[in-house]
């Protein structure tokens, strides 16, 4: 379980406890970006009390994507079969982990989805729901992906799937990171499954979402979509040029 943190001192012990109760055999890696509120120290205390909890202290805040890339590298080096992304703020329900891990037996990527039948969001204002739904519809339409919640941050990756995707060229470090890896997995022909979850807005602390993150996502996704659609047009043109003529 990869848990990125920045100023989550109060939330972290709560979510780690829920993870450990839901999947007692799993290991937890806290990825702390040098939180000024003492989250790193809180993580160290949890690790000292529980052999299943580990901490990776990072020098500075570099974005969600870089934290997860560091976590993937850590997990792959140690031979884990699957790596899980889960937020520290409690918005991702650890109680759904057994279902998601079971689904990973027949899938390469499992997404805890808000926008499939059975999925829902609690305590979000209407404008934020509209932004999430609109963004995911835009991604699905532009990139042609059969995924309803490409921006979801609660997911399971099989280790082999991460190796197939290839993480060297990933350059999305904000919330766009999730759509980036979904897009790479889809292009690689991997099997992506969505499992419904109830997403609950954080009760402690402040959301890390900001306009810069939204702009990065829009810019990158639009660029990928343009390249994808241009490639499709080029491919169709080449097939027409090389089509045998009727005699």
């Amino acid at each position: 379980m990869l848990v990125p943190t920045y100023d989550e001192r109060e939330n972290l012990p709560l979510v780690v406890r829920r993870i450990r109760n839901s999947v007692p055999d799993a290991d937890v890696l806290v990825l702390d970006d040098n939180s000024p509120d003492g989250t790193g120290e809180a993580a160290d205390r949890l690790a000292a009390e529980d052999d299943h909890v580990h901490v990776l202290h990072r020098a500075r805040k570099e974005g969600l994507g870089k934290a997860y890339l560091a976590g993937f590298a850590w997990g792959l080096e140690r031979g884990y079969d699957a790596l899980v992304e889960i937020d520290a703020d409690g918005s991702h329900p650890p109680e759904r982990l057994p279902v998601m891990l079971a689904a990973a037996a027949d899938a390469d990527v499992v997404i805890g989805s808000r926008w499939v039948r059975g999925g829902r969001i609690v305590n979000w204002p209407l404008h934020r729901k509209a932004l999430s739904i609109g963004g995911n519809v835009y991604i699905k339409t532009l990139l042609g992906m059969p995924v309803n919640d490409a921006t979801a941050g609660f997911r399971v990756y099989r280790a082999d799937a991460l190796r197939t995707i290839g993480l060297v060229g990933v350059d999305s470090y904000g919330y766009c990171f999730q759509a980036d890896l979904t897009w790479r997995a889809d292009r690689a022909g991997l099997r992506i499954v969505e499992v419904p979850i109830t997403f609950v807005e954080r009760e402690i602390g402040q959301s890390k979402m900001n306009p810069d993150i939204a702009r990065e996502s829009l810019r990158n996704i639009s660029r990928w979509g343009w390249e994808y659609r241009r490639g499709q047009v080029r491919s169709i043109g080449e097939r027409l040029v090389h089509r045998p003529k009727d005699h």
Side-chain angles (χ1 to χ4, degrees):
M1 307 291 149
L2 306 179
V3 186
T5 58
Y6 187 80
D7 286 354
E8 297 288 359
R9 179 171 51 87
E10 294 181 72
N11 282 314
L12 182 62
L14 303 176
V15 76
V16 168
R17 186 183 308 122
R18 291 172 64 190
I19 291 171
R20 297 287 290 117
N21 288 337
S22 299
V23 280
D25 293 332
D27 287 340
V28 177
L29 176 65
V30 179
L31 300 146
D32 186 63
D33 281 3
N34 197 22
S35 298
D37 76 339
T39 301
E41 291 80 358
D44 286 336
R45 289 193 293 271
L46 293 171
E49 298 167 358
D50 188 341
D51 291 341
H52 284 274
V53 179
H54 310 271
V55 185
L56 182 60
H57 293 280
R58 291 164 39 77
R60 61 187 181 279
K61 187 178 181 183
E62 295 182 295
L64 187 70
K66 281 200 172 183
Y68 274 133
L69 289 175
F72 290 152
W74 186 94
L76 292 174
E77 287 172 3
R78 287 159 179 78
Y80 288 93
D81 294 328
L83 297 166
V84 177
E85 298 180 357
I86 182 168
D87 283 355
D89 62 11
S91 58
H92 298 152
E95 294 73 21
R96 291 295 284 166
L97 283 169
V99 175
M100 293 174 65
L101 290 169
D106 298 310
D108 300 296
V109 182
V110 178
I111 297 175
S113 179
R114 301 159 293 184
W115 306 123
V116 294
R117 184 182 297 274
R120 67 192 187 103
I121 287 180
V122 176
N123 295 334
W124 259 17
L126 185 60
H127 75 272
R128 194 165 175 191
K129 285 185 180 180
L131 180 63
S132 180
I133 293 172
N136 276 289
V137 169
Y138 180 71
I139 292 169
K140 186 175 183 178
T141 303
L142 193 63
L143 300 180
M145 288 194 300
V147 176
N148 293 293
D149 199 352
T151 62
F154 189 20
R155 46 181 74 195
V156 181
Y157 286 99
R158 298 299 300 265
D160 287 342
L162 290 172
R163 295 187 185 98
T164 299
I165 291 171
L167 302 174
V168 175
V170 176
D171 60 359
S172 301
Y173 301 136
Y175 282 80
C176 184
F177 175 79
Q178 308 297 1
D180 190 347
L181 260 63
T182 309
W183 176 225
R184 289 169 184 265
D186 182 63
R187 285 189 299 170
L190 300 181
R191 184 162 190 260
I192 304 171
V193 170
E194 293 183 87
V195 171
I197 67 163
T198 297
F199 181 100
V200 180
E201 176 64 350
R202 65 161 63 236
E203 296 181 358
I204 303 172
Q206 306 230 338
S207 172
K208 309 300 191 299
M209 179 64 75
N210 61 53
D212 288 339
I213 291 172
R215 281 192 289 269
E216 180 207 24
S217 296
L218 179 61
R219 182 173 61 251
N220 286 354
I221 290 164
S222 297
R223 174 169 55 84
W224 302 334
W226 165 249
E227 292 171 354
Y228 170 64
R229 295 303 180 183
R230 185 174 59 184
Q232 282 188 317
V233 171
R234 185 185 301 117
S235 178
I236 292 171
E238 290 174 353
R239 287 201 300 271
L240 290 174
V241 168
H242 294 99
R243 188 175 62 183
K245 295 182 179 179
D246 296 331
H247 294 286

